[in-house]
């Protein structure tokens, strides 16, 4: 059997299975189990008495606490305005353990709605399957199961960003955008990608120009409103309660120390999906659509700089991942369905084969989740 026939058989198998009503949910369970097989969650690291969790609990009990007693260079001192999870804990009376359980469920939902969003864009269950599977093997899709003790809550922010892309209801877009912004400042910056997604969707069949961009869509306006609402409330809290996020460990001076790791760190943002990014950039350049080229490159540059100005390179740059959904929207009108399937299959395979790596300037490269079930099986053999 030739390679072409094997791939076609794989496509046919996925297409037949995807006809089932609950396929996205079965796929999500499968991907979660596969992710756990290769990178098992670090549940043994869970300690509600650890300072990271104690800081979240403190914020939950006192939302306006300035955290000024903490080391300003530490990550947990940066939680002054990261209020989404503390508010959820306060309203729902959740314990740290309950938050971990919820976070794992959120990780599962990231797969489900990434599939649904991709299928809506491409109208192709096969491409949607490969894209979602690829996400499951990069940090973006693993964050929910890795972050047990650090209380970064990236998975929540990623999920809110996905839902802000997926939602059509204006109130839902506003809500998810707001939840994302108050989860992490990097998610607030990533809302610019959500704005771009809603502004550009269904417009790629024509050459994008300033006139197109200036016709602001109502979904895009809602994203701007959510961003302005966040900034307004944040300024009010700063003025009223003297709440400020310390800049130590998160500024341009850090860039000097992170530069040696940036090449590896940048790769871990997208891994195999960089193929899509490079293809789109090349295509827009060849077609002389320079405005669109700038719009695609600018977010990348912004997150390159952001990730270099903090110690945690991979997780910061992974907030760029929602750009993938804009890129496939663009490719939909320029690539055949079969070409997109093969492209996303390659993206998935590369991401699957590349070792799971979290790049940080402190401690250099950190491998996610050891030991994994996969490693245990290899040792047994």
């Amino acid at each position: 059997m030739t390679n072409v026939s094997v791939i076609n058989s794989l496509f046919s198998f996925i297409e037949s299975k995807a006809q089932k009503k609950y396929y996205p949910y079965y796929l999500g369970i499968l991907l979660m189990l596969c992710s756990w097989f290769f990178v098992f969650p670090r549940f043994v690291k869970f300690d509600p008495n650890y300072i990271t969790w104690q800081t979240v609990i403190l914020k939950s009990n006192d939302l306006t606490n300035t955290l000024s007693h903490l080391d300003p260079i530490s990550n947990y001192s940066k939680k002054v305005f990261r209020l989404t999870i503390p508010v959820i804990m306060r309203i729902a009376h959740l314990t740290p353990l309950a938050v971990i359980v919820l976070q794992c469920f959120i990780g599962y939902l990231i797969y489900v709605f990434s599939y649904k969003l991709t299928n809506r864009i491409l109208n192709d269950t096969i491409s949607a399957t490969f894209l979602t599977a690829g996400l499951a093997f990069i940090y973006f899709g693993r964050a929910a199961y890795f972050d047990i003790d650090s209380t970064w809550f990236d998975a929540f922010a990623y999920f809110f960003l996905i839902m802000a892309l997926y939602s059509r209801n204006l109130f839902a877009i506003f809500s998810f955008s707001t939840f994302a912004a108050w989860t992490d400042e990097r998610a607030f910056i990533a809302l610019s990608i959500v704005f771009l997604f809603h502004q550009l969707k269904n417009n790629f069949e024509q050459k994008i120009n300033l006139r197109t961009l200036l016709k602001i869509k109502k979904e895009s306006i809602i994203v701007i409103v959510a961003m302005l609402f966040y900034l307004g409330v944040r300024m009010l809290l700063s003025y009223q309660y003297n709440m400020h996020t310390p800049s130590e460990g998160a500024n341009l001076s850090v860039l000097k120390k992170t530069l040696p790791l940036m090449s590896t760190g940048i790769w871990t943002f997208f891994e195999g999906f960089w193929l899509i990014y490079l293809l789109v950039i090349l295509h827009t350049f060849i077609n002389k659509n320079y405005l669109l080229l700038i719009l695609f490159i600018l977010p990348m540059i912004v997150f390159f700089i952001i990730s270099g100005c903090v110690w945690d390179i991979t997780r910061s740059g992974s907030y760029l991942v929602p750009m993938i959904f804009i890129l496939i929207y663009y490719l939909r009108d320029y690539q055949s369905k079969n070409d997109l399937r093969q492209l996303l299959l390659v993206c998935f395979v590369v991401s699957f084969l590349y070792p799971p790596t979290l790049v940080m300037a402190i401690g250099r490269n950190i491998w996610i989740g050891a030991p994994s079930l996969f490693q245990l099986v290899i040792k047994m053999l």
Side-chain angles (χ1 to χ4, degrees):
M1 185 178 290
T2 65
N3 291 335
V4 174
S5 59
V6 169
I7 292 175
N8 288 334
S9 298
L10 175 62
F11 288 174
S12 298
F13 174 78
I14 293 174
E15 197 165 29
S16 64
K17 295 299 181 182
Q19 301 305 313
K20 296 182 179 180
K21 181 178 180 181
Y22 297 107
Y23 174 75
Y25 304 97
Y26 297 144
L27 177 66
I29 293 173
L30 175 63
L31 291 177
M32 183 174 67
L33 294 177
C34 287
S35 177
W36 286 23
F37 181 76
F38 290 99
V39 183
F40 195 74
R42 308 187 309 166
F43 292 130
V44 294
K45 292 286 186 178
F46 175 71
D47 182 2
N49 295 315
Y50 191 53
I51 187 170
T52 52
W53 277 108
Q54 287 301 306
T55 302
V56 176
I57 293 171
L58 174 61
K59 287 297 292 184
S60 178
N61 294 330
D62 180 9
L63 296 176
T64 60
N65 193 295
T66 62
L67 303 182
S68 57
H69 63 287
L70 299 174
D71 182 357
I73 201 173
S74 64
N75 176 270
Y76 37 87
S77 69
K78 308 295 192 294
K79 296 180 179 295
V80 179
F81 292 104
R82 298 175 187 178
L83 300 177
T84 299
I85 306 307
V87 168
I88 292 174
M89 290 180 67
R90 183 167 182 160
I91 293 176
H93 303 289
L94 298 182
T95 64
L97 179 59
V99 174
I100 291 297
V101 173
L102 177 61
Q103 181 172 271
C104 289
F105 182 63
I106 286 293
Y108 164 74
L109 291 181
I110 287 176
Y111 302 150
V112 172
F113 283 96
S114 292
Y115 172 87
K116 289 188 173 185
L117 178 58
T118 306
N119 193 34
R120 178 193 293 174
I121 294 171
L122 300 178
N123 192 27
D124 181 31
T125 56
I126 297 172
S127 292
T129 298
F130 289 139
L131 187 146
T132 308
L135 291 181
F137 289 96
I138 64 177
Y139 178 77
F140 184 91
R142 284 181 162 131
Y145 319 121
F146 171 73
D147 179 19
I148 304 299
D149 58 330
S150 301
T151 64
W152 292 331
F153 301 133
D154 291 323
F156 286 95
Y158 297 158
F159 172 69
F160 296 142
L161 291 170
I162 291 292
M163 294 307 296
L165 298 177
Y166 179 79
S167 301
R168 290 171 171 168
N169 179 274
L170 298 183
F171 179 74
I173 294 174
F174 174 83
S175 298
F176 286 120
S177 297
T178 301
F179 296 157
W182 289 104
T183 303
D184 194 288
E185 288 81 0
R186 283 158 285 211
F188 169 76
I189 299 171
L191 287 179
S192 60
I193 299 175
V194 178
F195 168 85
L196 200 60
F197 175 86
H198 288 295
Q199 189 62 19
L200 293 178
K201 65 181 181 182
N202 299 322
N203 282 334
F204 288 124
E205 67 276 4
Q206 58 185 340
K207 191 168 183 177
I208 303 296
N209 52 43
L210 282 175
R211 181 177 298 179
T212 305
L213 290 178
L214 291 175
K215 293 180 180 178
I216 308 297
K217 296 179 180 179
K218 56 186 179 180
E219 294 90 347
S220 304
I221 293 175
I222 288 298
V223 177
I224 294 176
V225 170
M227 295 177 76
L228 292 175
F229 175 74
Y230 168 81
L231 290 175
V233 175
R234 180 167 174 142
M235 289 176 62
L236 179 63
L237 291 174
S238 297
Y239 174 78
Q240 190 72 27
Y241 298 101
N242 197 32
M243 295 170 64
H244 301 282
T245 300
S247 61
E248 288 85 344
N251 50 58
L252 286 173
S253 64
V254 178
L255 190 58
K256 298 177 182 178
K257 301 177 182 178
T258 58
L259 277 178
L261 293 173
M262 283 302 292
S263 58
T264 305
I266 288 171
W267 166 256
T268 60
F269 300 171
F270 276 20
E271 297 186 14
F273 291 104
W274 278 118
L275 181 60
I276 293 179
Y277 221 130
L278 295 176
L279 178 62
V280 170
I281 289 175
L282 180 62
H283 193 278
T284 52
F285 179 77
I286 292 175
N287 287 277
K288 299 180 179 180
N289 198 338
Y290 298 123
L291 178 59
L292 199 55
L293 179 64
I294 293 172
L295 292 176
F296 288 155
I297 290 179
L298 190 58
M300 182 171 59
I301 294 174
V302 169
F303 276 95
F304 281 4
I305 296 173
I306 290 173
S307 62
C309 290
V310 293
W311 301 112
D312 36 14
I313 299 171
T314 297
R315 56 177 293 256
S316 299
S318 294
Y319 280 87
L320 181 64
V321 167
M323 273 296 298
I324 291 176
F325 297 98
I326 300 179
L327 301 178
I328 63 171
Y329 232 129
Y330 175 84
L331 288 176
R332 181 189 68 176
D333 296 323
Y334 296 98
Q335 300 288 322
S336 69
K337 181 173 289 189
N338 192 60
D339 286 345
L340 271 175
R341 289 174 175 178
Q342 295 184 42
L343 175 63
L344 289 169
L345 172 59
V346 172
C347 293
F348 157 63
V349 170
V350 172
S351 298
F352 174 78
L353 293 177
Y354 188 79
T357 309
L358 175 67
V359 179
M360 301 182 71
I362 299 178
R364 302 187 69 81
N365 292 0
I366 298 179
W367 299 93
I368 300 178
S372 67
L373 295 182
F374 173 74
Q375 290 169 320
L376 294 176
V377 170
I378 292 299
K379 288 180 180 180
M380 291 174 62
L381 296 176

